[in-house]
Amino acid sequence: MSETATSSGKTPVDFWFDPLCPWAWMTSRWVLEVEKFRDIEVRWHVMSLAVLNEDKLDELPERYREMLVTQAWQPVRVVTAAWQKHGDAVLGPLYAALGTRIHNNGEGPTLEAIAGALADVGLPAELIEYAEQENFEFEAELRASHKEGIEKVGQDVGTPVIALPGPDGEQIAFFGPVVTPAPKGEAAVRLWDGAIAVASVPGFYEIKRTRTLGPIFD
């Protein structure tokens, strides 16, 4: 994914998300805001918090572990199935519909929310059947997409993974930025320009501070 331009002639920004993650949702709304002001085009990809943590469940807090086991698989399976059956173009709209229902509207990752999101974007209702499919038909494709994103940043991260324009036309991938609420207008552009600046430094890896606010949806 190191192309210097998309088919539209814009600079590609690759974004890996799990629809369950509120922080990825905030970041995704920020990068879409940046699309209004910078000549970029976001390309969406699935990753999975359940896959990311499947080998370390015993080390996780009980509440988070329970969420991964009971809730994390259903939305990402449906998104992956929609992607495989209907193409890349459905990923952005379906993610937007799911995120709005799960996070902004407070519906959570329920089967009802997933079914509603499918209806919102005009996708076949029967895609909901993939949510609880025991031997998920598109498991390999989900894991391959997840692996592609994680291999760009390493295992010690979460979602989102975002690949930005770096030096010499090559993309540089980071986890984050983790931000709340999603910046708008000039604030969104300032954060973008800062991200591009650090991506231009070959040895840059991390800036971090402890989160004192939870996700603020608007």
Side-chain angles (χ1 to χ4, degrees):
M1 296 272 181
S2 61
E3 299 99 320
T4 58
T6 66
S7 59
S8 64
K10 297 184 178 183
T11 300
V13 175
D14 289 290
F15 193 106
W16 281 263
F17 68 92
D18 184 322
L20 185 67
C21 179
W23 296 104
W25 175 243
M26 307 289 284
T27 307
S28 73
R29 299 311 94 183
W30 160 70
V31 77
L32 285 178
E33 180 76 2
V34 174
E35 269 194 332
K36 301 174 185 177
F37 302 95
R38 291 289 187 264
D39 197 29
I40 65 170
E41 181 178 323
V42 182
R43 301 188 296 195
W44 305 100
H45 311 274
V46 291
M47 64 180 294
S48 169
L49 289 171
V51 172
L52 184 68
N53 292 286
E54 62 185 354
D55 293 330
K56 50 187 176 184
L57 287 175
D58 292 343
E59 305 169 16
L60 301 175
E62 182 178 355
R63 183 177 178 183
Y64 188 55
R65 181 171 65 248
E66 181 70 14
M67 181 272 294
L68 291 176
V69 172
T70 61
Q71 298 179 315
W73 285 107
Q74 295 176 345
V76 77
R77 280 175 176 160
V78 173
V79 171
T80 302
W83 163 44
Q84 288 299 301
K85 294 175 78 71
H86 299 278
D88 293 346
V90 305
L91 282 171
L94 181 54
Y95 181 33
L98 277 168
T100 298
R101 285 179 172 270
I102 292 172
H103 304 299
N104 290 61
N105 297 351
E107 297 178 38
T110 62
L111 290 176
E112 292 78 11
I114 298 169
L118 291 171
D120 291 341
V121 296
L123 284 168
E126 57 264 26
L127 284 168
I128 194 67
E129 297 171 7
Y130 289 96
E132 297 181 313
Q133 191 178 67
E134 290 188 9
N135 297 307
F136 180 46
E137 181 178 347
F138 302 110
E139 181 89 9
E141 289 82 359
L142 168 58
R143 289 180 178 273
S145 180
H146 174 91
K147 181 181 179 182
E148 182 184 19
I150 287 298
E151 284 185 342
K152 292 179 178 292
V153 290
Q155 290 292 326
D156 192 25
V157 299
T159 174
V161 170
I162 184 170
L164 307 173
D168 303 321
E170 292 295 320
Q171 286 185 318
I172 302 295
F174 294 109
F175 160 59
V178 176
V179 60
T180 185
K184 302 290 194 300
E186 292 183 4
V189 174
R190 283 198 301 271
L191 179 57
W192 171 259
D193 290 345
I196 294 299
V198 299
S200 72
V201 180
F204 176 83
Y205 292 102
E206 184 175 14
I207 292 177
K208 190 171 184 179
R209 61 176 176 165
T210 300
R211 293 194 294 263
T212 57
L213 287 174
I216 299 172
F217 307 118
D218 54 17

mmCIF file of all heavy atoms in Angstrom, residues 62-111:
data_model
loop_
_atom_site.group_PDB
_atom_site.id
_atom_site.type_symbol
_atom_site.label_atom_id
_atom_site.label_comp_id
_atom_site.label_asym_id
_atom_site.label_seq_id
_atom_site.Cartn_x
_atom_site.Cartn_y
_atom_site.Cartn_z
ATOM 1 N N GLU A 62 -10.908 -8.392 33.404
ATOM 2 C CA GLU A 62 -12.064 -9.280 33.167
ATOM 3 C C GLU A 62 -13.112 -8.628 32.271
ATOM 4 O O GLU A 62 -13.656 -9.277 31.370
ATOM 5 C CB GLU A 62 -12.698 -9.672 34.496
ATOM 6 C CG GLU A 62 -13.871 -10.627 34.338
ATOM 7 C CD GLU A 62 -14.449 -11.050 35.677
ATOM 8 O OE1 GLU A 62 -13.869 -10.677 36.720
ATOM 9 O OE2 GLU A 62 -15.480 -11.745 35.682
ATOM 10 N N ARG A 63 -13.407 -7.350 32.496
ATOM 11 C CA ARG A 63 -14.453 -6.679 31.714
ATOM 12 C C ARG A 63 -14.069 -6.594 30.239
ATOM 13 O O ARG A 63 -14.907 -6.837 29.356
ATOM 14 C CB ARG A 63 -14.700 -5.284 32.284
ATOM 15 C CG ARG A 63 -15.829 -4.528 31.597
ATOM 16 C CD ARG A 63 -16.058 -3.201 32.276
ATOM 17 N NE ARG A 63 -17.108 -2.434 31.607
ATOM 18 C CZ ARG A 63 -17.465 -1.209 31.967
ATOM 19 N NH1 ARG A 63 -16.888 -0.614 33.006
ATOM 20 N NH2 ARG A 63 -18.415 -0.576 31.300
ATOM 21 N N TYR A 64 -12.802 -6.269 29.973
ATOM 22 C CA TYR A 64 -12.343 -6.164 28.586
ATOM 23 C C TYR A 64 -12.321 -7.537 27.928
ATOM 24 O O TYR A 64 -12.726 -7.704 26.771
ATOM 25 C CB TYR A 64 -10.967 -5.516 28.539
ATOM 26 C CG TYR A 64 -10.474 -5.192 27.148
ATOM 27 C CD1 TYR A 64 -11.247 -4.412 26.282
ATOM 28 C CD2 TYR A 64 -9.236 -5.648 26.699
ATOM 29 C CE1 TYR A 64 -10.793 -4.104 25.012
ATOM 30 C CE2 TYR A 64 -8.780 -5.341 25.432
ATOM 31 C CZ TYR A 64 -9.560 -4.569 24.583
ATOM 32 O OH TYR A 64 -9.111 -4.269 23.320
ATOM 33 N N ARG A 65 -11.870 -8.544 28.681
ATOM 34 C CA ARG A 65 -11.834 -9.906 28.156
ATOM 35 C C ARG A 65 -13.239 -10.386 27.796
ATOM 36 O O ARG A 65 -13.450 -10.971 26.732
ATOM 37 C CB ARG A 65 -11.217 -10.839 29.195
ATOM 38 C CG ARG A 65 -11.118 -12.284 28.729
ATOM 39 C CD ARG A 65 -10.303 -13.122 29.703
ATOM 40 N NE ARG A 65 -10.926 -13.242 31.007
ATOM 41 C CZ ARG A 65 -10.452 -12.700 32.117
ATOM 42 N NH1 ARG A 65 -9.338 -11.981 32.088
ATOM 43 N NH2 ARG A 65 -11.074 -12.857 33.272
ATOM 44 N N GLU A 66 -14.207 -10.109 28.643
ATOM 45 C CA GLU A 66 -15.584 -10.511 28.376
ATOM 46 C C GLU A 66 -16.132 -9.824 27.130
ATOM 47 O O GLU A 66 -16.841 -10.433 26.321
ATOM 48 C CB GLU A 66 -16.449 -10.179 29.589
ATOM 49 C CG GLU A 66 -17.917 -10.570 29.450
ATOM 50 C CD GLU A 66 -18.124 -12.080 29.468
ATOM 51 O OE1 GLU A 66 -17.186 -12.816 29.846
ATOM 52 O OE2 GLU A 66 -19.221 -12.523 29.089
ATOM 53 N N MET A 67 -15.791 -8.545 26.965
ATOM 54 C CA MET A 67 -16.228 -7.809 25.783
ATOM 55 C C MET A 67 -15.660 -8.426 24.508
ATOM 56 O O MET A 67 -16.373 -8.586 23.514
ATOM 57 C CB MET A 67 -15.804 -6.346 25.899
ATOM 58 C CG MET A 67 -16.231 -5.459 24.722
ATOM 59 S SD MET A 67 -15.005 -5.452 23.386
ATOM 60 C CE MET A 67 -13.622 -4.635 24.173
ATOM 61 N N LEU A 68 -14.385 -8.795 24.530
ATOM 62 C CA LEU A 68 -13.765 -9.386 23.352
ATOM 63 C C LEU A 68 -14.412 -10.722 22.995
ATOM 64 O O LEU A 68 -14.618 -11.035 21.827
ATOM 65 C CB LEU A 68 -12.269 -9.582 23.588
ATOM 66 C CG LEU A 68 -11.408 -8.317 23.668
ATOM 67 C CD1 LEU A 68 -9.973 -8.684 24.007
ATOM 68 C CD2 LEU A 68 -11.456 -7.527 22.369
ATOM 69 N N VAL A 69 -14.731 -11.507 24.010
ATOM 70 C CA VAL A 69 -15.289 -12.832 23.774
ATOM 71 C C VAL A 69 -16.734 -12.759 23.302
ATOM 72 O O VAL A 69 -17.158 -13.506 22.416
ATOM 73 C CB VAL A 69 -15.175 -13.686 25.056
ATOM 74 C CG1 VAL A 69 -15.938 -14.998 24.895
ATOM 75 C CG2 VAL A 69 -13.715 -13.961 25.383
ATOM 76 N N THR A 70 -17.511 -11.828 23.862
ATOM 77 C CA THR A 70 -18.954 -11.828 23.599
ATOM 78 C C THR A 70 -19.404 -10.836 22.543
ATOM 79 O O THR A 70 -20.471 -10.999 21.953
ATOM 80 C CB THR A 70 -19.729 -11.527 24.891
ATOM 81 O OG1 THR A 70 -19.365 -10.211 25.374
ATOM 82 C CG2 THR A 70 -19.416 -12.556 25.968
ATOM 83 N N GLN A 71 -18.617 -9.770 22.286
ATOM 84 C CA GLN A 71 -19.103 -8.701 21.416
ATOM 85 C C GLN A 71 -18.206 -8.379 20.227
ATOM 86 O O GLN A 71 -18.695 -7.853 19.222
ATOM 87 C CB GLN A 71 -19.290 -7.411 22.233
ATOM 88 C CG GLN A 71 -20.319 -7.524 23.339
ATOM 89 C CD GLN A 71 -20.436 -6.225 24.120
ATOM 90 O OE1 GLN A 71 -19.438 -5.602 24.488
ATOM 91 N NE2 GLN A 71 -21.659 -5.803 24.365
ATOM 92 N N ALA A 72 -16.925 -8.678 20.327
ATOM 93 C CA ALA A 72 -15.985 -8.140 19.338
ATOM 94 C C ALA A 72 -16.100 -8.792 17.972
ATOM 95 O O ALA A 72 -15.828 -8.142 16.946
ATOM 96 C CB ALA A 72 -14.548 -8.275 19.853
ATOM 97 N N TRP A 73 -16.472 -10.065 17.916
ATOM 98 C CA TRP A 73 -16.455 -10.772 16.637
ATOM 99 C C TRP A 73 -17.602 -10.381 15.711
ATOM 100 O O TRP A 73 -17.434 -10.329 14.494
ATOM 101 C CB TRP A 73 -16.498 -12.285 16.873
ATOM 102 C CG TRP A 73 -15.204 -12.850 17.350
ATOM 103 C CD1 TRP A 73 -14.917 -13.291 18.608
ATOM 104 C CD2 TRP A 73 -14.012 -13.034 16.587
ATOM 105 N NE1 TRP A 73 -13.619 -13.737 18.678
ATOM 106 C CE2 TRP A 73 -13.045 -13.593 17.452
ATOM 107 C CE3 TRP A 73 -13.678 -12.784 15.259
ATOM 108 C CZ2 TRP A 73 -11.753 -13.916 17.026
ATOM 109 C CZ3 TRP A 73 -12.393 -13.089 14.832
ATOM 110 C CH2 TRP A 73 -11.450 -13.646 15.700
ATOM 111 N N GLN A 74 -18.782 -10.113 16.252
ATOM 112 C CA GLN A 74 -19.961 -9.968 15.405
ATOM 113 C C GLN A 74 -19.876 -8.805 14.415
ATOM 114 O O GLN A 74 -20.075 -8.997 13.206
ATOM 115 C CB GLN A 74 -21.203 -9.859 16.280
ATOM 116 C CG GLN A 74 -21.478 -11.138 17.064
ATOM 117 C CD GLN A 74 -22.669 -11.009 18.007
ATOM 118 O OE1 GLN A 74 -23.136 -9.919 18.299
ATOM 119 N NE2 GLN A 74 -23.157 -12.141 18.478
ATOM 120 N N PRO A 75 -19.581 -7.569 14.869
ATOM 121 C CA PRO A 75 -19.531 -6.471 13.888
ATOM 122 C C PRO A 75 -18.457 -6.644 12.830
ATOM 123 O O PRO A 75 -18.699 -6.387 11.641
ATOM 124 C CB PRO A 75 -19.259 -5.233 14.758
ATOM 125 C CG PRO A 75 -19.638 -5.623 16.138
ATOM 126 C CD PRO A 75 -19.366 -7.090 16.237
ATOM 127 N N VAL A 76 -17.274 -7.078 13.235
ATOM 128 C CA VAL A 76 -16.181 -7.156 12.263
ATOM 129 C C VAL A 76 -16.400 -8.298 11.270
ATOM 130 O O VAL A 76 -15.981 -8.211 10.107
ATOM 131 C CB VAL A 76 -14.817 -7.270 12.988
ATOM 132 C CG1 VAL A 76 -14.556 -8.661 13.531
ATOM 133 C CG2 VAL A 76 -13.680 -6.827 12.073
ATOM 134 N N ARG A 77 -17.075 -9.348 11.689
ATOM 135 C CA ARG A 77 -17.413 -10.409 10.743
ATOM 136 C C ARG A 77 -18.376 -9.898 9.669
ATOM 137 O O ARG A 77 -18.206 -10.178 8.483
ATOM 138 C CB ARG A 77 -18.049 -11.587 11.481
ATOM 139 C CG ARG A 77 -17.070 -12.519 12.169
ATOM 140 C CD ARG A 77 -17.805 -13.564 12.961
ATOM 141 N NE ARG A 77 -16.905 -14.538 13.574
ATOM 142 C CZ ARG A 77 -17.233 -15.304 14.598
ATOM 143 N NH1 ARG A 77 -18.444 -15.224 15.121
ATOM 144 N NH2 ARG A 77 -16.364 -16.166 15.106
ATOM 145 N N VAL A 78 -19.385 -9.157 10.087
ATOM 146 C CA VAL A 78 -20.356 -8.639 9.125
ATOM 147 C C VAL A 78 -19.694 -7.653 8.167
ATOM 148 O O VAL A 78 -19.939 -7.675 6.960
ATOM 149 C CB VAL A 78 -21.550 -8.003 9.851
ATOM 150 C CG1 VAL A 78 -22.480 -7.303 8.862
ATOM 151 C CG2 VAL A 78 -22.326 -9.072 10.625
ATOM 152 N N VAL A 79 -18.840 -6.787 8.701
ATOM 153 C CA VAL A 79 -18.130 -5.840 7.838
ATOM 154 C C VAL A 79 -17.241 -6.581 6.846
ATOM 155 O O VAL A 79 -17.194 -6.239 5.651
ATOM 156 C CB VAL A 79 -17.295 -4.859 8.682
ATOM 157 C CG1 VAL A 79 -16.393 -4.013 7.788
ATOM 158 C CG2 VAL A 79 -18.197 -3.950 9.502
ATOM 159 N N THR A 80 -16.540 -7.590 7.318
ATOM 160 C CA THR A 80 -15.660 -8.359 6.433
ATOM 161 C C THR A 80 -16.461 -9.071 5.350
ATOM 162 O O THR A 80 -16.068 -9.089 4.171
ATOM 163 C CB THR A 80 -14.840 -9.376 7.239
ATOM 164 O OG1 THR A 80 -14.075 -8.679 8.237
ATOM 165 C CG2 THR A 80 -13.898 -10.158 6.334
ATOM 166 N N ALA A 81 -17.586 -9.676 5.725
ATOM 167 C CA ALA A 81 -18.424 -10.352 4.740
ATOM 168 C C ALA A 81 -18.959 -9.366 3.704
ATOM 169 O O ALA A 81 -18.983 -9.658 2.503
ATOM 170 C CB ALA A 81 -19.582 -11.062 5.443
ATOM 171 N N ALA A 82 -19.398 -8.187 4.156
ATOM 172 C CA ALA A 82 -19.881 -7.167 3.222
ATOM 173 C C ALA A 82 -18.776 -6.752 2.260
ATOM 174 O O ALA A 82 -19.002 -6.599 1.048
ATOM 175 C CB ALA A 82 -20.392 -5.960 4.001
ATOM 176 N N TRP A 83 -17.581 -6.583 2.781
ATOM 177 C CA TRP A 83 -16.423 -6.224 1.955
ATOM 178 C C TRP A 83 -16.133 -7.298 0.918
ATOM 179 O O TRP A 83 -15.932 -7.003 -0.271
ATOM 180 C CB TRP A 83 -15.230 -5.997 2.887
ATOM 181 C CG TRP A 83 -13.883 -6.014 2.263
ATOM 182 C CD1 TRP A 83 -13.485 -5.418 1.105
ATOM 183 C CD2 TRP A 83 -12.719 -6.685 2.779
ATOM 184 N NE1 TRP A 83 -12.149 -5.663 0.874
ATOM 185 C CE2 TRP A 83 -11.662 -6.431 1.889
ATOM 186 C CE3 TRP A 83 -12.476 -7.444 3.915
ATOM 187 C CZ2 TRP A 83 -10.369 -6.938 2.099
ATOM 188 C CZ3 TRP A 83 -11.199 -7.946 4.127
ATOM 189 C CH2 TRP A 83 -10.166 -7.697 3.223
ATOM 190 N N GLN A 84 -16.132 -8.556 1.342
ATOM 191 C CA GLN A 84 -15.795 -9.640 0.430
ATOM 192 C C GLN A 84 -16.871 -9.850 -0.640
ATOM 193 O O GLN A 84 -16.565 -10.203 -1.776
ATOM 194 C CB GLN A 84 -15.583 -10.936 1.218
ATOM 195 C CG GLN A 84 -14.301 -10.960 2.016
ATOM 196 C CD GLN A 84 -13.078 -10.827 1.128
ATOM 197 O OE1 GLN A 84 -12.839 -11.643 0.230
ATOM 198 N NE2 GLN A 84 -12.280 -9.789 1.346
ATOM 199 N N LYS A 85 -18.116 -9.632 -0.280
ATOM 200 C CA LYS A 85 -19.205 -9.901 -1.217
ATOM 201 C C LYS A 85 -19.586 -8.690 -2.070
ATOM 202 O O LYS A 85 -20.162 -8.841 -3.151
ATOM 203 C CB LYS A 85 -20.426 -10.396 -0.445
ATOM 204 C CG LYS A 85 -20.215 -11.749 0.231
ATOM 205 C CD LYS A 85 -21.397 -12.162 1.077
ATOM 206 C CE LYS A 85 -22.529 -12.707 0.211
ATOM 207 N NZ LYS A 85 -22.207 -14.024 -0.368
ATOM 208 N N HIS A 86 -19.249 -7.475 -1.587
ATOM 209 C CA HIS A 86 -19.715 -6.275 -2.287
ATOM 210 C C HIS A 86 -18.605 -5.266 -2.587
ATOM 211 O O HIS A 86 -18.893 -4.202 -3.148
ATOM 212 C CB HIS A 86 -20.829 -5.608 -1.477
ATOM 213 C CG HIS A 86 -22.024 -6.495 -1.300
ATOM 214 N ND1 HIS A 86 -23.000 -6.632 -2.257
ATOM 215 C CD2 HIS A 86 -22.380 -7.315 -0.273
ATOM 216 C CE1 HIS A 86 -23.917 -7.489 -1.827
ATOM 217 N NE2 HIS A 86 -23.564 -7.923 -0.635
ATOM 218 N N GLY A 87 -17.372 -5.582 -2.218
ATOM 219 C CA GLY A 87 -16.248 -4.751 -2.637
ATOM 220 C C GLY A 87 -15.805 -3.704 -1.632
ATOM 221 O O GLY A 87 -16.486 -3.413 -0.646
ATOM 222 N N ASP A 88 -14.639 -3.104 -1.921
ATOM 223 C CA ASP A 88 -14.034 -2.114 -1.031
ATOM 224 C C ASP A 88 -14.941 -0.910 -0.780
ATOM 225 O O ASP A 88 -14.892 -0.307 0.294
ATOM 226 C CB ASP A 88 -12.719 -1.598 -1.635
ATOM 227 C CG ASP A 88 -11.631 -2.655 -1.704
ATOM 228 O OD1 ASP A 88 -11.779 -3.718 -1.062
ATOM 229 O OD2 ASP A 88 -10.627 -2.417 -2.398
ATOM 230 N N ALA A 89 -15.743 -0.561 -1.775
ATOM 231 C CA ALA A 89 -16.519 0.674 -1.692
ATOM 232 C C ALA A 89 -17.539 0.676 -0.559
ATOM 233 O O ALA A 89 -17.985 1.743 -0.130
ATOM 234 C CB ALA A 89 -17.227 0.942 -3.020
ATOM 235 N N VAL A 90 -17.912 -0.494 -0.060
ATOM 236 C CA VAL A 90 -18.934 -0.527 1.002
ATOM 237 C C VAL A 90 -18.333 -0.303 2.378
ATOM 238 O O VAL A 90 -19.075 -0.037 3.339
ATOM 239 C CB VAL A 90 -19.717 -1.861 0.991
ATOM 240 C CG1 VAL A 90 -20.313 -2.124 -0.373
ATOM 241 C CG2 VAL A 90 -18.857 -3.030 1.448
ATOM 242 N N LEU A 91 -17.011 -0.399 2.516
ATOM 243 C CA LEU A 91 -16.402 -0.349 3.842
ATOM 244 C C LEU A 91 -16.626 0.988 4.545
ATOM 245 O O LEU A 91 -17.030 1.025 5.711
ATOM 246 C CB LEU A 91 -14.902 -0.649 3.747
ATOM 247 C CG LEU A 91 -14.532 -2.121 3.579
ATOM 248 C CD1 LEU A 91 -13.043 -2.269 3.287
ATOM 249 C CD2 LEU A 91 -14.912 -2.918 4.822
ATOM 250 N N GLY A 92 -16.350 2.087 3.862
ATOM 251 C CA GLY A 92 -16.523 3.398 4.478
ATOM 252 C C GLY A 92 -17.956 3.672 4.898
ATOM 253 O O GLY A 92 -18.212 4.036 6.055
ATOM 254 N N PRO A 93 -18.928 3.533 3.995
ATOM 255 C CA PRO A 93 -20.316 3.781 4.377
ATOM 256 C C PRO A 93 -20.827 2.850 5.473
ATOM 257 O O PRO A 93 -21.550 3.294 6.381
ATOM 258 C CB PRO A 93 -21.081 3.570 3.070
ATOM 259 C CG PRO A 93 -20.080 3.852 1.997
ATOM 260 C CD PRO A 93 -18.777 3.354 2.538
ATOM 261 N N LEU A 94 -20.481 1.562 5.414
ATOM 262 C CA LEU A 94 -20.956 0.648 6.448
ATOM 263 C C LEU A 94 -20.317 0.960 7.794
ATOM 264 O O LEU A 94 -20.990 0.918 8.837
ATOM 265 C CB LEU A 94 -20.672 -0.804 6.045
ATOM 266 C CG LEU A 94 -21.152 -1.877 7.027
ATOM 267 C CD1 LEU A 94 -22.632 -1.727 7.342
ATOM 268 C CD2 LEU A 94 -20.840 -3.276 6.494
ATOM 269 N N TYR A 95 -19.034 1.280 7.784
ATOM 270 C CA TYR A 95 -18.377 1.682 9.040
ATOM 271 C C TYR A 95 -19.040 2.923 9.613
ATOM 272 O O TYR A 95 -19.288 3.003 10.823
ATOM 273 C CB TYR A 95 -16.888 1.914 8.785
ATOM 274 C CG TYR A 95 -16.097 2.311 10.009
ATOM 275 C CD1 TYR A 95 -16.425 1.845 11.267
ATOM 276 C CD2 TYR A 95 -14.995 3.160 9.888
ATOM 277 C CE1 TYR A 95 -15.678 2.197 12.384
ATOM 278 C CE2 TYR A 95 -14.241 3.512 10.994
ATOM 279 C CZ TYR A 95 -14.590 3.034 12.245
ATOM 280 O OH TYR A 95 -13.851 3.400 13.346
ATOM 281 N N ALA A 96 -19.353 3.887 8.763
ATOM 282 C CA ALA A 96 -20.017 5.111 9.241
ATOM 283 C C ALA A 96 -21.372 4.788 9.864
ATOM 284 O O ALA A 96 -21.727 5.330 10.925
ATOM 285 C CB ALA A 96 -20.180 6.093 8.087
ATOM 286 N N ALA A 97 -22.138 3.908 9.225
ATOM 287 C CA ALA A 97 -23.453 3.551 9.757
ATOM 288 C C ALA A 97 -23.327 2.790 11.066
ATOM 289 O O ALA A 97 -24.073 3.047 12.030
ATOM 290 C CB ALA A 97 -24.212 2.720 8.725
ATOM 291 N N LEU A 98 -22.384 1.843 11.130
ATOM 292 C CA LEU A 98 -22.177 1.086 12.357
ATOM 293 C C LEU A 98 -21.699 1.985 13.493
ATOM 294 O O LEU A 98 -22.207 1.910 14.616
ATOM 295 C CB LEU A 98 -21.149 -0.019 12.115
ATOM 296 C CG LEU A 98 -21.651 -1.315 11.493
ATOM 297 C CD1 LEU A 98 -20.468 -2.165 11.046
ATOM 298 C CD2 LEU A 98 -22.524 -2.074 12.472
ATOM 299 N N GLY A 99 -20.707 2.827 13.201
ATOM 300 C CA GLY A 99 -20.164 3.697 14.237
ATOM 301 C C GLY A 99 -21.204 4.647 14.785
ATOM 302 O O GLY A 99 -21.260 4.895 16.003
ATOM 303 N N THR A 100 -22.030 5.184 13.922
ATOM 304 C CA THR A 100 -23.079 6.097 14.364
ATOM 305 C C THR A 100 -24.032 5.386 15.311
ATOM 306 O O THR A 100 -24.418 5.926 16.362
ATOM 307 C CB THR A 100 -23.851 6.657 13.157
ATOM 308 O OG1 THR A 100 -22.940 7.392 12.335
ATOM 309 C CG2 THR A 100 -24.972 7.581 13.604
ATOM 310 N N ARG A 101 -24.415 4.167 14.962
ATOM 311 C CA ARG A 101 -25.346 3.422 15.815
ATOM 312 C C ARG A 101 -24.675 2.922 17.096
ATOM 313 O O ARG A 101 -25.209 3.103 18.198
ATOM 314 C CB ARG A 101 -25.935 2.238 15.032
ATOM 315 C CG ARG A 101 -26.993 2.665 14.015
ATOM 316 C CD ARG A 101 -27.537 1.471 13.255
ATOM 317 N NE ARG A 101 -28.669 1.845 12.412
ATOM 318 C CZ ARG A 101 -29.937 1.818 12.804
ATOM 319 N NH1 ARG A 101 -30.238 1.436 14.043
ATOM 320 N NH2 ARG A 101 -30.909 2.166 11.983
ATOM 321 N N ILE A 102 -23.518 2.309 16.956
ATOM 322 C CA ILE A 102 -22.846 1.722 18.121
ATOM 323 C C ILE A 102 -22.394 2.784 19.104
ATOM 324 O O ILE A 102 -22.609 2.652 20.323
ATOM 325 C CB ILE A 102 -21.642 0.868 17.665
ATOM 326 C CG1 ILE A 102 -22.122 -0.379 16.906
ATOM 327 C CG2 ILE A 102 -20.781 0.452 18.860
ATOM 328 C CD1 ILE A 102 -20.998 -1.168 16.257
ATOM 329 N N HIS A 103 -21.775 3.860 18.604
ATOM 330 C CA HIS A 103 -21.136 4.838 19.472
ATOM 331 C C HIS A 103 -21.989 6.086 19.679
ATOM 332 O O HIS A 103 -22.386 6.388 20.809
ATOM 333 C CB HIS A 103 -19.763 5.203 18.894
ATOM 334 C CG HIS A 103 -18.877 4.017 18.683
ATOM 335 N ND1 HIS A 103 -18.468 3.196 19.718
ATOM 336 C CD2 HIS A 103 -18.335 3.492 17.552
ATOM 337 C CE1 HIS A 103 -17.704 2.237 19.238
ATOM 338 N NE2 HIS A 103 -17.602 2.391 17.928
ATOM 339 N N ASN A 104 -22.286 6.805 18.619
ATOM 340 C CA ASN A 104 -23.020 8.060 18.781
ATOM 341 C C ASN A 104 -24.416 7.850 19.364
ATOM 342 O O ASN A 104 -24.857 8.602 20.241
ATOM 343 C CB ASN A 104 -23.135 8.787 17.443
ATOM 344 C CG ASN A 104 -21.802 9.332 16.971
ATOM 345 O OD1 ASN A 104 -20.871 8.577 16.757
ATOM 346 N ND2 ASN A 104 -21.697 10.637 16.797
ATOM 347 N N ASN A 105 -25.125 6.850 18.862
ATOM 348 C CA ASN A 105 -26.493 6.614 19.316
ATOM 349 C C ASN A 105 -26.576 5.730 20.550
ATOM 350 O O ASN A 105 -27.668 5.534 21.100
ATOM 351 C CB ASN A 105 -27.326 5.984 18.191
ATOM 352 C CG ASN A 105 -27.473 6.894 16.991
ATOM 353 O OD1 ASN A 105 -27.102 8.063 17.030
ATOM 354 N ND2 ASN A 105 -28.011 6.361 15.908
ATOM 355 N N GLY A 106 -25.438 5.171 20.960
ATOM 356 C CA GLY A 106 -25.412 4.369 22.178
ATOM 357 C C GLY A 106 -26.102 3.028 22.074
ATOM 358 O O GLY A 106 -26.480 2.436 23.091
ATOM 359 N N GLU A 107 -26.267 2.496 20.854
ATOM 360 C CA GLU A 107 -26.941 1.217 20.686
ATOM 361 C C GLU A 107 -26.041 0.039 21.045
ATOM 362 O O GLU A 107 -26.538 -1.067 21.316
ATOM 363 C CB GLU A 107 -27.444 1.064 19.254
ATOM 364 C CG GLU A 107 -28.492 2.089 18.853
ATOM 365 C CD GLU A 107 -28.931 1.937 17.401
ATOM 366 O OE1 GLU A 107 -29.042 0.787 16.938
ATOM 367 O OE2 GLU A 107 -29.154 2.974 16.742
ATOM 368 N N GLY A 108 -24.721 0.260 21.044
ATOM 369 C CA GLY A 108 -23.794 -0.827 21.306
ATOM 370 C C GLY A 108 -23.702 -1.785 20.137
ATOM 371 O O GLY A 108 -24.454 -1.688 19.160
ATOM 372 N N PRO A 109 -22.788 -2.763 20.232
ATOM 373 C CA PRO A 109 -22.557 -3.697 19.118
ATOM 374 C C PRO A 109 -23.568 -4.837 19.106
ATOM 375 O O PRO A 109 -23.199 -6.014 19.092
ATOM 376 C CB PRO A 109 -21.138 -4.185 19.392
ATOM 377 C CG PRO A 109 -21.041 -4.169 20.890
ATOM 378 C CD PRO A 109 -21.830 -2.965 21.337
ATOM 379 N N THR A 110 -24.841 -4.501 19.122
ATOM 380 C CA THR A 110 -25.893 -5.507 19.149
ATOM 381 C C THR A 110 -26.222 -5.971 17.739
ATOM 382 O O THR A 110 -25.935 -5.290 16.746
ATOM 383 C CB THR A 110 -27.159 -4.935 19.787
ATOM 384 O OG1 THR A 110 -27.620 -3.840 18.986
ATOM 385 C CG2 THR A 110 -26.877 -4.432 21.209
ATOM 386 N N LEU A 111 -26.877 -7.109 17.660
ATOM 387 C CA LEU A 111 -27.323 -7.591 16.358
ATOM 388 C C LEU A 111 -28.317 -6.620 15.740
ATOM 389 O O LEU A 111 -28.336 -6.427 14.519
ATOM 390 C CB LEU A 111 -27.951 -8.974 16.491
ATOM 391 C CG LEU A 111 -26.985 -10.118 16.828
ATOM 392 C CD1 LEU A 111 -27.758 -11.418 17.029
ATOM 393 C CD2 LEU A 111 -25.927 -10.293 15.747
#
